[in-house]
Amino acid sequence: LEEVEPASEIVKRFATGAMSLGSISPETHESLALAMNSLGGKSNTGEGGEDPLRFADQRRSAIKQVASGRFGVTSNYLANSDEIQIKMAQGA
């Protein structure tokens, strides 16, 4: 049992899928960020970005997705990320 990693370390590797604001409601988008932040995991903005007002609190998504410079991608948006995903192509 001493070799088993504590749950607090395991959840740091948890991340939501990229779901754009607009494909789900703003409330759901924020709820996912709140839940992942409370666990110590990461939520993903998807290519729809997020409201800059969320950057300063627990509603902030750690992973910011960029797709062809769309949806208000700014230096502020990118600076408020822990991880950046660059979307290279759109599916099917």
Side-chain angles (χ1 to χ4, degrees), residues 36-85:
M36 294 308 288
N37 288 333
S38 70
L39 289 172
K42 296 178 181 176
S43 63
N44 188 323
T45 63
E47 63 183 80
E50 68 185 344
D51 187 334
L53 295 174
R54 290 173 51 180
F55 296 165
D57 60 36
Q58 286 296 315
R59 300 173 299 155
R60 174 187 172 270
S61 290
I63 304 169
K64 306 288 194 266
Q65 191 178 80
V66 179
S68 304
R70 302 185 309 179
F71 301 112
V73 175
T74 64
S75 57
N76 188 37
Y77 173 76
L78 297 174
N80 281 284
S81 66
D82 296 339
E83 182 179 319
I84 298 170
Q85 289 183 349

Side-chain angles (χ1 to χ4, degrees), residues 3 8 11 15 20 23-24 26 30 34 40 46 57 59 78 82-83 86-87:
E3 294 179 25
S8 60
V11 296
S20 294
S23 68
I24 58 176
E30 290 182 13
L34 285 166
D57 60 36
R59 300 173 299 155
L78 297 174
D82 296 339
E83 182 179 319
I86 300 171
K87 190 172 181 181

